[in-house]
Amino acid sequence: MLSLKTRRNVARVIPFGVLWFIFSLIYCLLEKGILGDLDHYPKTGVAYNFVRNTVTIPAGGLMMGMLTGVLEIGYFSKWFIKKSFTRKIVFKSLLYLIIVSAFLITLVLINALTMPEEHSFKNLSSPAWAFFTDYVAVIGIMVYMASIVVIAQFYSEISDTIGPGTLLNFFLGKYHHPVEEERIFMFLDMKSSTTIAENLGHVNYFDLLKDYFFDLSVAVIDYGGTIYQYAGDEMIVCWKLKEGLKNNNSIECFFAMKRALERQAEKYRSKFGILPGFKAGLHSGMVTAGEIGSLKKEIIFTGDVLNTSARIQGLCNQFDAELLVSEDLAKLLQLPATYAIKSVGENLLKGRSKPMELFAISTSITSGKSWKPSSL
């Protein structure tokens, strides 16, 4: 079975292949419109077969798209992550264009080497040489490929900006009409954020938040979560119920976030003089998801789950707990004995008519079988 991170990366790579496939198919249709009934390319004399091209060119485009997707997700997105939107588009597009050009030249050279001696690349009348000296054709193809690269980059950057999967949901119209879903929500808040902001000043505090959210996001990806919103120093993460419960992803994510910050302790202390901490509240239940807005469209969730999660997080300081979960979610968890779960009692949360029992979860040095507190 593929890990959640691997599956998410595969899902992010596939659209690159699809984009290249579609534009390669469009190129074949445009080429047919230009050549008409000709059975060869006028400049090179190479035989032209429309049916063959509609198979081989899109197939090559698909492979090229998957390659650029792997490079984007695995390398380039990390290398240029701190660059501005425009700089990322320009720098990455240039790199991709160089790679695509090398790929195209390699194909032409391979084609030339497989030809008879009289048509080899050494012969100035060969099809390969004719292709390279036909500047109109070469520039036209390069401009077309550059357009595909830029469009793919815009897709990638916009997708990252509004969140993985959100752009696809807009295209598919998944939430055009309201949809009910069971989800787990985590409201995560930085400890003593007001004091930290006063000590650092607004600009340095903003730089801290950028590093802080970046480091926490790695754990969200690893454990299959989705960042729903940022609100000041607060991060709201959600999972579909099944994905959040599987392997205790929603709980594991919290402690992976803690480890991520601890590994970067030296960086934070040298840059900001402090290692930020955080606390979180989790709750599960039914929400309604759908598109809203006219000037600015957004997919939002509504329901008591969000308000309750926020209220639970707000009680962390009162109970000196880093992680509080609702009774509803605690009943669904199957935590191993490496975690300690303890009831902090029933609490009447604002906006609710009935009290809810809350549980604090922390790491434990004990080990053994999965267990639940007796009150559950």
Side-chain angles (χ1 to χ4, degrees):
M1 291 290 291
L2 297 176
S3 66
L4 287 170
K5 182 178 180 179
T6 301
R7 278 189 286 168
R8 175 172 288 189
N9 285 340
V10 169
R12 293 174 67 191
V13 166
I14 289 175
F16 287 88
V18 173
L19 280 172
W20 274 84
F21 179 84
I22 291 173
F23 280 99
S24 297
L25 191 58
I26 292 173
Y27 174 82
C28 291
L29 297 176
L30 292 173
E31 187 179 57
K32 175 62 176 175
I34 294 171
L35 295 178
D37 295 328
L38 291 177
D39 60 357
H40 65 280
Y41 292 94
K43 182 69 175 180
T44 63
V46 174
Y48 168 72
N49 186 304
F50 174 68
V51 175
R52 180 194 64 196
N53 283 10
T54 54
V55 174
T56 57
I57 293 178
L62 178 63
M63 289 190 293
M64 194 67 233
M66 297 297 282
L67 173 61
T68 58
V70 169
L71 291 173
E72 171 66 24
I73 304 305
Y75 302 98
F76 293 168
S77 61
K78 298 174 184 176
W79 294 351
F80 297 103
I81 194 164
K82 293 189 177 181
K83 298 290 184 183
S84 67
F85 181 89
T86 303
R87 290 189 175 210
K88 280 194 281 187
I89 292 289
V90 173
F91 291 159
K92 290 196 290 183
S93 294
L94 287 174
L95 282 175
Y96 285 127
L97 199 54
I98 292 171
I99 293 169
V100 171
S101 300
F103 180 74
L104 180 62
I105 291 171
T106 301
L107 288 180
V108 173
L109 292 177
I110 291 173
N111 184 54
L113 292 173
T114 58
M115 286 186 174
E117 181 65 24
E118 63 270 18
H119 294 301
S120 69
F121 192 72
K122 297 176 183 179
N123 188 337
L124 296 182
S125 64
S126 70
W129 182 261
F131 173 80
F132 280 115
T133 55
D134 186 356
Y135 299 109
V136 174
V138 171
I139 292 174
I141 290 175
M142 294 307 297
V143 168
Y144 190 80
M145 287 191 169
S147 301
I148 302 175
V149 167
V150 171
I151 290 171
Q153 286 310 296
F154 265 99
Y155 167 83
S156 176
E157 292 302 321
I158 293 172
S159 179
D160 287 345
T161 298
I162 66 177
T166 305
L167 185 59
L168 182 61
N169 287 333
F170 275 122
F171 284 143
L172 298 178
K174 181 177 180 181
Y175 296 108
H176 185 66
H177 298 288
V179 176
E180 285 192 321
E181 297 177 342
E182 275 194 291
R183 285 186 174 259
I184 297 172
F185 279 85
M186 174 196 289
F187 276 66
L188 186 142
D189 187 57
M190 183 187 291
K191 293 180 179 179
S192 306
S193 58
T194 303
T195 302
I196 294 173
E198 289 177 351
N199 292 336
L200 292 179
H202 295 301
V203 175
N204 287 333
Y205 178 62
F206 189 83
D207 286 337
L208 170 69
L209 284 180
K210 286 176 67 175
D211 287 351
Y212 169 76
F213 285 137
F214 175 81
D215 292 332
L216 295 185
S217 298
V218 176
V220 177
I221 294 172
D222 288 344
Y223 290 93
T226 299
I227 297 175
Y228 172 47
Q229 283 180 350
Y230 296 106
D233 63 332
E234 188 174 68
M235 175 192 284
I236 304 173
V237 185
C238 67
W239 292 261
K240 288 186 177 179
L241 183 65
K242 183 178 178 181
E243 294 173 354
L245 292 177
K246 186 176 181 180
N247 300 321
N248 299 306
N249 283 322
S250 56
I251 304 300
E252 294 285 355
C253 180
F254 175 85
F255 291 100
M257 287 175 167
K258 284 189 63 178
R259 294 191 296 270
L261 286 190
E262 288 166 0
R263 286 194 295 269
Q264 299 293 331
E266 185 177 345
K267 177 189 74 173
Y268 282 99
R269 291 194 174 106
S270 63
K271 288 179 66 175
F272 308 107
I274 188 173
L275 176 63
F278 55 85
K279 54 191 183 295
L282 282 89
H283 182 43
S284 64
M286 194 70 69
V287 295
T288 301
E291 291 181 25
I292 64 165
S294 176
L295 294 176
K296 179 182 180 295
K297 285 187 175 293
E298 187 175 356
I299 295 174
I300 69 162
F301 299 100
T302 61
D304 177 66
V305 176
L306 286 89
N307 293 329
T308 301
S309 301
R311 307 295 184 209
I312 292 172
Q313 183 272 125
L315 292 174
C316 285
N317 288 341
Q318 179 178 326
F319 295 108
D320 193 26
E322 290 188 318
L323 177 62
L324 288 177
V325 302
S326 66
E327 178 183 1
D328 295 345
L329 179 56
K331 287 178 179 178
L332 299 174
L333 295 171
Q334 294 289 337
L335 294 176
T338 51
Y339 290 106
I341 182 167
K342 174 186 176 183
S343 174
V344 297
E346 291 191 340
N347 292 265
L348 184 60
L349 302 177
K350 184 178 179 180
R352 295 181 66 92
S353 59
K354 296 181 180 179
M356 172 183 286
E357 189 172 10
L358 303 180
F359 295 86
I361 298 179
S362 60
T363 53
S364 171
I365 60 173
T366 61
S367 61
K369 296 182 180 179
S370 300
W371 62 286
K372 288 181 178 293
S374 57
S375 58
L376 294 183

